[in-house]
Amino acid sequence: VGVTAASLAKLKPVFDSNGSTTAGNASQLSDGAAMVMLMKRSEARRRGLKPRATFRAFAVAGVEPSVMGIGPAVAIPAVLE
């Protein structure tokens, strides 16, 4: 059942016949991108834009690489203090 280097080497490229991206090394379909535009409220008014959110606070927190992915579980309580 396991994935091996040999089984990964057999996968065909998905975007270009000479490419290197395969189903074995590509990100899952749920990966995405996002953009946020931050500006002062006065600048939004000047540009005729309606604010859709307010930036209230932030926190920076790190976790050991062995538990990667749980950073928000540490940062959220920190920002709420």
Side-chain angles (χ1 to χ4, degrees), residues 1-78:
V1 168
V3 175
T4 65
S7 67
L8 289 173
K10 293 177 186 175
L11 296 173
K12 294 184 174 153
V14 291
F15 299 115
D16 180 345
S17 60
N18 293 318
S20 60
T21 304
T22 71
N25 65 10
S27 297
Q28 68 261 13
L29 292 176
S30 62
D31 276 1
M35 186 199 98
V36 175
M37 183 183 302
L38 299 175
M39 66 182 75
K40 291 184 175 185
R41 187 173 297 273
S42 59
E43 180 63 19
R45 261 190 234 113
R46 187 182 77 75
R47 294 173 177 259
L49 300 172
K50 179 181 177 186
R52 295 181 172 216
T54 301
F55 185 83
R56 300 259 185 225
F58 73 95
V60 177
V63 296
E64 290 295 321
S66 63
V67 290
M68 187 177 112
I70 67 159
V74 178
I76 292 169

